[in-house]
Tab-separated table of all heavy atoms in Angstrom:
chain	number	residue	atom	x	y	z
A	50	ARG	N	-24.512	23.036	-36.047
A	50	ARG	CA	-24.556	23.207	-34.546
A	50	ARG	C	-25.289	22.046	-33.970
A	50	ARG	O	-26.094	21.350	-34.609
A	50	ARG	CB	-25.163	24.505	-34.162
A	50	ARG	CG	-24.373	25.736	-34.580
A	50	ARG	CD	-24.984	27.035	-34.218
A	50	ARG	NE	-24.152	28.194	-34.522
A	50	ARG	CZ	-23.955	28.692	-35.715
A	50	ARG	NH1	-24.587	28.234	-36.744
A	50	ARG	NH2	-23.157	29.739	-35.918
A	72	SER	N	-22.912	11.850	-37.831
A	72	SER	CA	-23.175	12.857	-38.857
A	72	SER	C	-22.846	12.258	-40.227
A	72	SER	O	-22.048	11.303	-40.300
A	72	SER	CB	-22.278	14.127	-38.659
A	72	SER	OG	-22.436	14.993	-39.755
A	86	SER	N	-9.438	14.240	-49.430
A	86	SER	CA	-9.785	13.678	-48.169
A	86	SER	C	-10.710	14.524	-47.376
A	86	SER	O	-10.618	15.766	-47.471
A	86	SER	CB	-8.511	13.429	-47.285
A	86	SER	OG	-7.676	12.436	-47.862
A	100	LYS	N	-11.443	22.809	-27.738
A	100	LYS	CA	-10.620	21.927	-28.540
A	100	LYS	C	-11.438	21.393	-29.681
A	100	LYS	O	-12.578	20.958	-29.540
A	100	LYS	CB	-10.195	20.745	-27.673
A	100	LYS	CG	-9.291	21.102	-26.522
A	100	LYS	CD	-8.859	19.850	-25.790
A	100	LYS	CE	-7.952	20.228	-24.597
A	100	LYS	NZ	-7.513	19.028	-23.857
Side-chain angles (χ1 to χ4, degrees):
Chain A
R50 296 181 174 78
S72 173
S86 292
K100 297 182 181 180

